[in-house]
Amino acid sequence: ALHGVDCNVLLAGGADLRHVLTTIDNVIRSSDDLDKLQSGVEGTIHFYIFESQLELIARQLFFLQLFLELPESLGVQEKATFFMELFGNSHVRSQTAAYLKERSTDLIKLITDEDFLAGRLPMVDISALKFRERDQLEGMFKFWRNDQPGFDMAAHWENRLRQYLGVRFDARKGVFDWDYHMRLTEKAAIIHKKEYENWREGGIAFCSREAPYDVVNRSLVSGVQFRQNGESHLSRSYWGDIVSSPFLSFGITSRNKELFKKQNDRHVQTSEDVMQHNITEIIESLLRVLPHSSKQLDTVEGSKNQLASDDSVQKWQGLAKWCKIHFMPVGALSGIHSRDKFQRKFQFLYFSNSMIHHLLPPMSSIMSDNAHLFVESTRFILDLTKEKHGDYVRKVVSMAEKTRCKLEGECRPLEDNVVVFTHIPQ
């Protein structure tokens, strides 16, 4: 809960919105007075998001507008289903693809029209992004809304598997089975073997609807610039995870312990069920801070065009008074310690294991006294041996100590999702 002061959170390499969404959900649930929270007098949480790729920022902007769709436009269950498919599936239903295409046009307007952004997502700040980055985001959104054939996701997924497995490709089902039983189940037993193997084979993680999942999820496609014969070219492919799975973000823990009941020593529910429950809870929390509309929409088409209406602006202004999300330029993290505005600014800092190389001694200057530092462990990097997990934790502890951060409690490399530190004042 907020206590009348602003809270600044640095997220380095979060890659998705789980930290932002779960924090918002927790604040709403712990608030004794939502009206007071909505007034902003209890303070504001500022999230500063640093990513290594623009594609990750693009997806987070999209998911933010999805979660903040007005209920008149999109129901709770449909919203959760769209999120899960676009979050974790290589291929989606035609209805989901149509939604991505439609909202991609809105996203282009969000990053090119400040008034539209202030109306639709008043809690989002993209002012720090460079104009070149905004142009690149616009190009990504245009690619998303292009429904013409031409990108063969299945072939790109298979190519990634072939590169990763090498001579083991023809025996891949055995590899999937080994990874599941010997590496994954002890860490996330709620993930069922069938859903994990389906995802490993073709990238389909969530398929609860009785419909074909046959349209490419273009939001998972990323591009790499390269030069050939003196000319610049863009190569698009799928460069994401093909081992650990998207179930890990929202699908392995929950407040509702009923979801983890067993029968004959087997989980009754699946990771997809857990994720559906968790995402639904977050959506319902957001609805609690959404004032009831004083206007009734006459038609479905009217609701689809509601994005930047006066009603939409008023509805999310309360959330924007206590929650701000700042997207920072790619590569900006390395120089943040030299900027005056960030000195002793952050009370909470999170570094993913892919961004830990930025945790250098000068970073101590951006941490407030007694700031909490959270560093992602390698627990769910399935390829690492027990010794490598231990080596990583020892390296992280050494790096954190050089930023005057002290390890909190005992760190268990194979059991803890994060390593926690406290910044020691000078």
Side-chain angles (χ1 to χ4, degrees), residues 10 12 50-51 130 328-339 342 351 355 357-363 365-366:
L10 181 149
F50 295 83
E51 298 291 356
K130 301 173 183 177
M328 307 304 291
V330 171
L333 186 59
S334 60
I336 188 177
H337 58 84
S338 62
R339 300 183 62 183
F342 292 118
F351 284 77
M355 298 285 271
H357 57 284
H358 289 290
L359 187 62
L360 300 173
M363 285 294 179
S365 67
I366 68 172

Side-chain angles (χ1 to χ4, degrees), residues 182-402:
M182 304 304 294
R183 295 173 171 174
L184 185 62
T185 52
E186 63 181 2
K187 302 169 183 177
I190 188 66
I191 301 176
H192 280 219
K193 178 182 176 184
K194 183 178 180 180
E195 59 184 354
Y196 177 71
E197 291 184 342
N198 283 346
W199 174 78
R200 286 290 301 267
E201 180 64 38
I204 306 294
F206 308 109
C207 51
S208 59
R209 299 295 181 93
E210 293 294 330
Y213 291 76
D214 55 1
V215 183
V216 171
N217 179 4
R218 285 176 170 258
S219 74
L220 282 179
V221 179
S222 55
V224 175
Q225 292 280 354
F226 69 96
R227 298 190 68 83
Q228 187 176 39
N229 299 325
E231 296 182 356
S232 179
H233 299 272
L234 177 66
S235 175
R236 287 192 170 97
S237 186
Y238 173 75
W239 305 105
D241 175 34
I242 58 170
V243 179
S244 296
S245 85
F247 304 110
L248 301 174
S249 292
F250 295 95
I252 61 174
T253 61
S254 177
R255 297 186 188 92
N256 185 358
K257 302 309 176 187
E258 294 293 313
L259 293 168
F260 299 90
K261 280 189 172 181
K262 292 183 177 181
Q263 192 174 51
N264 298 325
D265 203 35
R266 292 172 59 91
H267 283 282
V268 177
Q269 306 293 334
T270 67
S271 179
E272 182 171 359
D273 297 324
V274 175
M275 186 163 178
Q276 179 86 35
H277 174 84
N278 289 339
I279 296 302
T280 300
E281 277 198 337
I282 293 171
I283 295 170
E284 290 174 345
S285 277
L286 288 168
L287 292 179
R288 290 180 60 197
V289 298
L290 183 65
H292 292 294
S293 176
S294 58
K295 304 176 183 179
Q296 294 298 322
L297 300 177
D298 295 326
T299 64
V300 173
E301 187 61 34
S303 68
K304 288 182 179 179
N305 294 325
Q306 183 74 5
L307 282 175
S309 71
D310 292 339
D311 197 30
S312 177
V313 173
Q314 294 301 319
K315 284 188 171 185
W316 292 120
Q317 285 301 331
L319 176 61
K321 287 181 180 179
W322 63 269
C323 176
K324 293 288 186 181
I325 303 169
H326 309 267
F327 288 96
M328 307 304 291
V330 171
L333 186 59
S334 60
I336 188 177
H337 58 84
S338 62
R339 300 183 62 183
D340 292 341
K341 65 181 289 187
F342 292 118
Q343 296 305 301
R344 299 167 62 88
K345 186 177 185 70
F346 296 103
Q347 292 87 21
F348 298 92
L349 303 93
Y350 168 85
F351 284 77
S352 70
N353 50 45
S354 65
M355 298 285 271
I356 189 61
H357 57 284
H358 289 290
L359 187 62
L360 300 173
M363 285 294 179
S364 176
S365 67
I366 68 172
M367 302 180 191
S368 67
D369 292 346
N370 302 310
H372 298 285
L373 169 66
F374 302 86
V375 178
E376 183 184 22
S377 73
T378 54
R379 182 186 180 202
F380 291 108
I381 299 181
L382 303 186
D383 292 332
L384 297 186
T385 63
K386 182 178 180 180
E387 291 72 23
K388 292 294 184 182
H389 287 294
D391 290 343
Y392 171 81
V393 168
R394 285 187 287 273
K395 179 180 179 181
V396 164
V397 171
S398 174
M399 295 175 73
E401 287 176 345
K402 293 175 183 177

Side-chain angles (χ1 to χ4, degrees), residues 72-194:
E72 297 94 335
S73 303
L74 203 62
V76 172
Q77 292 306 315
E78 190 175 18
K79 193 180 290 189
T81 301
F82 280 171
F83 172 77
M84 291 171 65
E85 287 184 33
L86 291 164
F87 178 78
N89 282 9
S90 62
H91 295 79
V92 299
R93 295 173 300 136
S94 58
Q95 300 96 312
T96 308
Y99 176 80
L100 176 65
K101 178 181 178 180
E102 180 182 352
R103 287 299 176 254
S104 294
T105 298
D106 298 317
L107 288 168
I108 292 173
K109 196 171 183 181
L110 281 174
I111 62 171
T112 57
D113 186 333
E114 293 182 0
D115 292 335
F116 189 79
L117 175 64
R120 178 64 185 99
L121 299 176
M123 71 295 299
V124 170
D125 174 18
I126 61 169
S127 62
L129 295 181
K130 301 173 183 177
F131 288 111
R132 172 174 51 83
E133 291 175 320
R134 298 190 199 193
D135 290 341
Q136 290 173 335
L137 285 171
E138 182 179 357
M140 293 173 195
F141 297 141
K142 287 180 177 178
F143 173 74
W144 290 5
R145 73 178 182 184
N146 180 4
D147 56 4
Q148 296 299 314
F151 186 87
D152 190 343
M153 175 67 86
H156 284 275
W157 188 276
E158 180 179 317
N159 186 52
R160 286 290 312 285
L161 286 178
R162 288 183 179 276
Q163 290 178 338
Y164 173 73
L165 296 173
V167 296
R168 299 180 298 163
F169 177 78
D170 290 336
R172 60 190 179 280
K173 292 190 182 300
V175 176
F176 301 160
D177 182 77
W178 171 269
D179 287 345
Y180 176 77
H181 286 290
M182 304 304 294
R183 295 173 171 174
L184 185 62
T185 52
E186 63 181 2
K187 302 169 183 177
I190 188 66
I191 301 176
H192 280 219
K193 178 182 176 184
K194 183 178 180 180

Side-chain angles (χ1 to χ4, degrees), residues 31-45:
S31 176
D32 296 325
D33 188 339
L34 287 178
D35 290 335
K36 189 176 180 181
L37 176 68
Q38 295 283 78
S39 70
V41 298
E42 293 191 340
T44 303
I45 303 177

